[in-house]
Amino acid sequence: MRIVVPAGGIGGARFLRGLQKELGVGPDSTGEEPSITVIGNTGDDITLFGLRICPDLDTVMYTLGGGINEEQGWGRADESFTVKEELAAYGMQPTWFGLGDRDTATHIVRSQMMAAGYPLSAVTEALCDRWRPGVRLLPMTDDRVETHVIVDDESGGQRAIHFQEWWIRHRAALPAHRILGVGAEDAAPAPGVLEAVEQADAVLLPPSNPVVSIGSVLSVPGVREALERATVVGVSPIIGGSAVRGMADACLKAIGVETTAQAVAEHYGSGLLDGWLVDRADEGTAVEGVAVRSLPLYMSDAEATAAIARAALDLVDELK
Ligand code: GDP
Ligand code: FO1
Ligand code: CA
């Protein structure tokens, strides 16, 4: 059984942990069957202080590899912030980004390898040699794609800011006129991405941000088309009209999609989705051309999450 999971950060990583539990694979799995290939979102990536930072790839790698800060959902466990404080003492900007010391080592390895000419996919593989996440973690692309958000500026016009500035500094509270994937049009899927989708027995969309995580993966030319040919079952990131955790509602608003399980499914479309899992609170959701099932969708612990993964795999079986 070969499973492909396009994923963002926290929601994607937690779902993957449940999927591994359900399949009895990882964290140290050597990649025998069943195998999981993750197509990680890189639209959140940013260069700060000369360091290339890939939040969603790192969140998946640390979560599955046992290095994540569990309460926070991102960054390293046991983290300290000496480097961040020292940079601030030099007056270096920005000061709003939580750059942890342990995490910084990851960014240094990545930046050094990239400066030496290695593509992000090779760098990610090298980083995973340490973390052994038990999945094949592929960036969606080796090309630079960055999500920017169009907001109002002080002089009555508009300006684009990096997604991380909007998300962290402004807590997604600045009204977003548009969300753009800068560089997406000219990007190519990373090596292995299209092959993995073509060979997949199932594609599962985890409860990730539908705009800046899944939407970003889908924006890489060729990826959506490949996914449309596969059997795709998605897990709604929206429960009872709310984004559960995080600020996905602000992203949906920016693209004119309602914060409901139904609107998100319709946004993906029946061309992409074959099946859609919604929470019990959203029972009665109907999407034309998509098989909808309802069950508890809170990823409260590994068991509850494994049950969601099982339901997704069962629906794939039913649809095949
Ligand atoms: P991020 O990159 O860290 O924002 O993480 P993702 O892109 O993977 O998306 C997180 C999304 O998952 C959030 O926007 C929520 O809507 C959704 N989410 C978070 N926790 C849960 C949960 O327990 N159940 C479900 N169904 N969705 C969740
Ligand atoms: N999220 C925050 O809310 N504040 C931070 O300072 C912060 C730093 C950070 C550093 C590394 C990393 O991998 C993730 C980090 N995040 C932080 C999470 C990240 O901004 C977002 O949750 C995702 O990019 C949105 O999907
Ligand atoms: Ca993300």
Side-chain angles (χ1 to χ4, degrees), residues 8-12 56 207-209 213 236-237 239 243-245 248 297-299:
I10 303 172
D56 283 358
S208 279
N209 189 306
S213 294
S236 175
I239 297 181
V244 191
R245 69 194 305 286
L297 284 193
Y298 282 103
M299 299 187 289

Side-chain angles (χ1 to χ4, degrees), residues 8-10 41 44-45 53-56 58-59 62 72 74-75 81 84 96-100 103 107 163-164 167-169 171 209 212-213 247:
I10 303 172
N41 170 42
D44 292 13
D45 297 7
I53 302 171
C54 301
D56 283 358
D58 288 349
T59 296
Y62 294 155
Q72 202 167 242
W74 55 268
F81 291 88
K84 180 182 191 288
W96 46 259
F97 192 80
L99 184 72
D103 199 24
H107 311 322
F163 168 74
Q164 293 295 345
W167 190 255
I168 297 175
R169 185 181 186 189
R171 305 248 61 109
N209 189 306
V212 296
S213 294
M247 304 162 284

Side-chain angles (χ1 to χ4, degrees), residues 104-120:
T104 294
T106 304
H107 311 322
I108 291 174
V109 174
R110 175 184 294 120
S111 305
Q112 176 166 302
M113 284 187 74
M114 289 178 81
Y118 288 95
L120 181 61

Side-chain angles (χ1 to χ4, degrees), residues 67-89:
I68 198 77
N69 177 325
E70 291 286 347
E71 298 75 49
Q72 202 167 242
W74 55 268
R76 290 289 311 280
D78 258 328
E79 189 57 291
S80 55
F81 291 88
T82 306
V83 171
K84 180 182 191 288
E85 286 159 24
E86 290 293 317
L87 287 167

